[in-house]
Amino acid sequence: MKALQEYQKWLNYKELPKKLYQELLAIQGNTAAIEERFGGVLDFGTAGLRGILGPGLNRMNIYTIRRTSWALAQYILRQNDGKDLRSIVIGYDSRHMSREFAQEAGLTIAAAGIRAYVSPYLCPTPEVSFSVRHLQADAGIMITASHNPPEYNGFKVYDPHGYQLLPDAASKIHNIMLENQDVFKLSILSLDDATKRELFQWITPQIRNIYTKTIVNEVQFPSVTSSQRKDLSIVYTPLHGTGNIPVQEVLQASGYNKVHVVKEQADPDGDFPTVKSPNPEESEALKLGICLANKIQADIVMGTDPDADRVGIAVCNDKGAYQLLTGNQVGALLVEFILSQRKTENRLPNNGIIFSTIVSSTLGQAVASSYKIPIENTLTGFKYIGEGITRYEKESEHPFLFGYEESYGYLISPIVRDKDAVQTCLAIAEMTSFYKEQGKTLLVVLEELFQRFGYYKEELFTLPINGGNAPNQTELVMAELRKNIPKIEGLKLVSIDDYHTLKRTYINRKGESTSNTEPLLLPSSNVLKYWYEDGSWIAIRPSGTEPKLKVYLAAHGTGPTECETKIQQMQAAIKNHIK
C-alpha cells in the first residue's frame, strides 16, 4: 500500500521530468514493478549510493540526488567547526545523467549555503580526491557507478582528507536522509542565482593541470631514461570513460609518444557499446585493445574503467599472445619495482609502509618483506587505505610507499587518497620501460618473483545464498561457518581470523580450535579468513549488495600445477560445505 501511495504521489507531481513520468505510466497497474521502485529506498553506505536510473526512491534520479546532497550538506553544517563558508567538490563520469546529477547536487548544496565546486568536464574519480585536498574542501562527490552496467549510476562521497567515507560518517548521513520524507520539497537554487551568490563555481582547468603535472613529478622514476620512454609502445583504452584525456596528458608529458588509443572506445559513451561490461578485470573488456596491440606489436595494453580509478593490463607472452595479469600480480610487480628503485636511489625509508587488504595476495607481502618493509592489511575498500595514509601522515611516521588491492586498484603517490588509474598507467609504463631495457617483459619478472618466493594463485567466486530473508540467511550461513570449520583435503589449517569478533584463533593438530588467541587490530567486519600451513588461505564475506557470499581463494606452492590443484580443492570443499 505504501509503495502504491508513493507511486501515485510521483505520478501526480506536475513538475516531474517527462522521461520519469513516461516510465511511471508504463508500469501503471504492475504491482511488482511499482514495489521494486517505491517499496524501499536506496541505502546510503560507505560507497554512497548506487542504483538503476528511473523514478522512485529506490532509483537514481534528480530527486534522490537532491535528497542525498541535502543530507550531506546538513551533515557538514552540523559539524560546528566555526567555518564561515564550507565547500564541496563535485565531479562526474560519462554515464547517463552524470552531468545533470552533478549540477543538481551542486545547486542543492548551494541552497544550503555551501559552495559547490563543480567540474566543467568529465572527471576521473581520483581527480575529485585530489581536488578536495587541493581546494581544502569539506567533502567531495563523484557521480559514477564505476563498472556497473549502463542503466546504473551512483553517488560517491569523500571526506575532507580525500578518502571515501568511513562507516560512522556514512551512517550519520544515512540517518539524516531519513529525516526528509518528501523529496519534492527540498530547496534548490537556480544556476544563475547560485552563480551570482558565488555558491556554485565551475572548477577551472588549472586544477586538472596541477593534478596531471603533480602526477608526472611524483610518479616518474629517475632510472627510466627518455629514450626508454620513447621506445615503449602502449595501447590504451579508456573503455568509453573519463580516462582518455588525463591518461594521455600524463603519458605524453612524461615522454611516452607511442601511445595508441583504441578508437572504438575513445569517446565517452554511457552505453559502453563495445563491451559487455566496462570492467578491466574482465578479459572481454580489453579485447579490442589486444586486437590493436597484435597489429602494431605493442609492448603493453592498458585499460581503465569508466571513472578511471582502476586499470587492467595485458602483456605479450613467449608464445606471441597477449596475457592478462591479475590485480594481485600487478600489485606484487609494482611492490618489487617501487622498492627496488627506491633502494637503488637511496630513497627507501627504514620506516616506510605499504598498504594492502586482507583479501589480497600475500605475494606482495613476501616481496616487501625481502626489503624489510611491512605491509599493513586493511579491510576491503580503499577508504581504509586512505585513512591509514592520513593517520600516519598526521603522526609524522611511516612514509607511504604504495597501496593496492586485488580488484585492480593502486595508488603510487598520496596526493590522492583513493585508487588512481591515471597515476598507475604512468607507473606501469615506467616499470615496463625499465624492464624492457633489460630484455624482460612483466611476465618474465613475475616468473622471477615466483622463483624467489614460490608460486601464488588467487581466485574469487561468488556463492548465491537462497531461502528466507536474504540478508538474514547470509548471516546464518556465516554463523554456521564459525561453528563448523570447512575441511580442505591436503591442507593443514593453522589459524582462523574472525574480523567480526576481531580475534585470531589458533588450531591444534586435530583441527580443533584452541584457547590460544590474539587480537586483530582492525574495525569489526563480517569476514572469516582461514590460514593454512603452506601459506594458502581462504577468506569469506557476505556481499554488501546481493544475497551471496564472496569467497577469496589463495594458493601457495612450488609450481603452477600444484597451486591450481589447491584452488580446485578449496573451491569444491567450500561449495560442498555451504549447501
Side-chain angles (χ1 to χ4, degrees):
M1 182 63 71
K2 286 187 68 176
L4 185 58
Q5 289 175 347
E6 189 69 22
Y7 166 79
Q8 289 294 342
K9 179 180 174 181
W10 281 61
L11 189 65
N12 296 330
Y13 185 61
K14 294 181 180 180
E15 296 180 26
L16 198 73
K18 184 178 180 180
K19 189 173 182 180
L20 297 183
Y21 180 71
Q22 288 174 336
E23 184 173 334
L24 291 179
L25 288 178
I27 63 171
Q28 202 162 21
N30 187 333
T31 304
I34 291 171
E35 181 67 31
E36 186 187 1
R37 290 161 176 78
F38 296 94
V41 298
L42 286 177
D43 286 332
F44 183 89
T46 55
L49 294 181
R50 191 172 296 184
I52 297 172
L53 295 164
L57 294 177
N58 202 30
R59 289 287 189 268
M60 293 294 297
N61 50 67
I62 62 172
Y63 303 105
T64 50
I65 288 290
R66 288 176 184 176
R67 186 189 197 200
T68 312
S69 303
W70 170 82
L72 173 60
Q74 295 307 308
Y75 170 76
I76 291 172
L77 292 172
R78 295 175 192 182
Q79 300 300 308
N80 295 321
D81 55 9
K83 276 191 175 182
D84 292 330
L85 179 62
R86 296 168 176 83
S87 61
I88 297 176
V89 170
I90 305 173
Y92 61 93
D93 70 3
S94 59
R95 287 181 173 272
H96 298 304
M97 297 296 294
S98 281
R99 183 179 173 90
E100 291 89 340
F101 287 170
Q103 185 165 309
E104 289 289 331
L107 297 175
T108 305
I109 286 162
I114 296 175
R115 176 175 291 161
Y117 292 109
V118 185
S119 177
Y121 39 62
L122 297 183
C123 174
T125 286
E127 189 176 331
V128 169
S129 175
F130 176 85
S131 300
V132 167
R133 295 173 56 76
H134 183 77
L135 294 170
Q136 298 181 325
D138 296 272
I141 296 170
M142 179 65 189
I143 305 297
T144 180
S146 187
H147 60 276
N148 276 62
E151 63 268 24
Y152 281 76
N153 213 324
F155 184 106
K156 288 183 182 178
V157 180
Y158 289 82
D159 84 342
H161 303 292
Y163 52 81
Q164 287 187 57
L165 296 180
L166 296 177
D168 182 60
S171 178
K172 289 177 180 176
I173 293 172
H174 176 76
N175 290 335
I176 294 173
M177 280 177 62
L178 299 180
E179 294 176 14
N180 189 291
Q181 298 300 315
D182 192 342
V183 293
F184 299 131
K185 291 184 177 179
L186 286 170
S187 298
I188 181 170
L189 295 183
S190 68
L191 182 58
D192 285 345
D193 191 16
T195 304
K196 287 176 183 176
R197 292 166 61 178
E198 297 185 347
L199 290 172
F200 186 106
Q201 293 185 12
W202 297 108
I203 297 175
T204 65
Q206 182 184 12
I207 302 297
R208 163 71 59 82
N209 293 336
I210 294 171
Y211 168 62
T212 55
K213 286 179 180 178
T214 306
I215 288 175
V216 172
N217 292 334
E218 291 281 324
V219 177
Q220 278 191 317
F221 286 81
S223 54
V224 183
T225 65
S226 59
S227 61
Q228 289 169 6
R229 292 180 180 121
K230 289 178 182 177
D231 188 48
L232 191 73
S233 177
I234 300 169
V235 166
Y236 168 67
T237 172
L239 296 177
H240 305 289
T242 63
N244 195 13
I245 293 174
V247 168
Q248 284 204 73
E249 285 181 354
V250 163
L251 290 173
Q252 289 171 3
S254 300
Y256 292 96
N257 53 20
K258 292 182 180 178
V259 180
H260 309 272
V261 178
V262 179
K263 292 181 181 179
E264 300 94 326
Q265 298 172 329
D267 293 335
D269 190 332
D271 286 324
F272 310 112
T274 64
V275 291
K276 292 179 182 177
S277 170
N279 185 355
E281 291 184 68
E282 298 178 11
S283 58
E284 188 268 341
L286 293 187
K287 187 176 180 181
L288 288 178
I290 290 173
C291 182
L292 176 58
N294 273 313
K295 290 179 181 177
I296 65 173
Q297 294 298 292
D299 295 300
I300 191 164
V301 179
M302 297 189 284
T304 55
D305 65 347
D307 63 325
D309 61 353
R310 299 183 308 127
V311 57
I313 69 171
V315 180
C316 193
N317 61 26
D318 56 4
K319 296 178 181 178
Y322 284 86
Q323 181 176 327
L324 275 74
L325 276 71
T326 69
N328 282 313
Q329 291 169 344
V330 174
L333 286 166
L334 284 167
V335 171
E336 167 65 22
F337 178 67
I338 291 167
L339 296 188
S340 65
Q341 297 310 298
R342 279 180 167 266
K343 184 177 181 180
T344 300
E345 299 159 7
N346 292 316
R347 293 193 302 120
L348 186 60
N350 294 329
N351 62 338
I353 192 79
I354 290 174
F355 288 95
S356 189
T357 73
I358 61 173
V359 297
S360 296
S361 171
T362 49
L363 174 57
Q365 192 161 334
V367 175
S369 294
S370 71
Y371 291 92
K372 298 181 180 180
I373 295 295
I375 283 188
E376 183 170 313
N377 288 318
T378 71
L379 296 176
T380 53
F382 224 90
K383 55 185 171 288
Y384 294 111
I385 294 177
E387 186 276 333
I389 297 169
T390 304
R391 173 167 31 89
Y392 285 138
E393 186 178 71
K394 287 179 179 178
E395 297 167 358
S396 299
E397 62 177 357
H398 302 307
F400 173 76
L401 299 175
F402 180 53
Y404 71 102
E405 60 185 8
E406 97 293 339
S407 55
Y408 293 57
Y410 318 93
L411 180 64
I412 290 81
S413 169
I415 59 169
V416 165
R417 298 295 155 94
D418 200 356
K419 48 193 176 290
D420 187 343
V422 184
Q423 285 190 34
T424 308
C425 284
L426 176 55
I428 290 172
E430 294 282 277
M431 177 170 63
T432 307
S433 297
F434 178 80
Y435 290 124
K436 182 181 179 181
E437 180 69 14
Q438 300 177 16
K440 300 176 183 178
T441 68
L442 295 186
L443 291 172
V444 171
V445 181
L446 181 63
E447 179 63 27
E448 291 176 350
L449 294 183
F450 288 153
Q451 293 295 327
R452 286 166 60 190
F453 304 107
Y455 282 78
Y456 290 76
K457 182 175 176 59
E458 296 80 29
E459 192 167 302
L460 166 66
F461 75 95
T462 57
L463 204 58
I465 302 299
N466 301 313
N469 179 276
N472 240 6
Q473 192 67 19
T474 315
E475 295 295 328
L476 290 173
V477 173
M478 290 297 292
E480 180 63 24
L481 283 167
R482 289 182 168 89
K483 293 178 183 177
N484 297 308
I485 303 170
K487 293 182 180 179
I488 314 296
E489 184 181 349
L491 293 181
K492 181 184 175 184
L493 184 67
V494 293
S495 65
I496 301 173
D497 293 350
D498 189 336
Y499 289 92
H500 182 65
T501 60
L502 296 179
K503 185 190 298 182
R504 171 173 291 170
T505 301
Y506 289 93
I507 307 300
N508 63 24
R509 292 186 177 276
K510 295 180 181 180
E512 301 166 334
S513 300
T514 70
S515 58
N516 187 10
T517 65
E518 62 182 63
L520 298 170
L521 305 178
L522 285 176
S524 179
S525 183
N526 194 8
V527 182
L528 283 170
K529 189 170 184 179
Y530 304 96
W531 287 97
Y532 300 93
E533 191 175 45
D534 66 349
S536 300
W537 54 265
I538 298 172
I540 305 176
R541 69 178 180 91
S543 166
T545 55
E546 299 173 77
K548 64 184 182 182
L549 295 180
K550 286 194 169 185
V551 184
Y552 302 81
L553 309 175
H556 183 220
T558 57
T561 303
E562 180 188 347
C563 287
E564 179 59 35
T565 300
K566 289 179 179 179
I567 289 288
Q568 290 176 4
Q569 289 173 334
M570 289 187 218
Q571 188 173 78
I574 294 296
K575 286 182 177 179
N576 186 57
H577 189 80
I578 305 172
K579 292 183 178 178

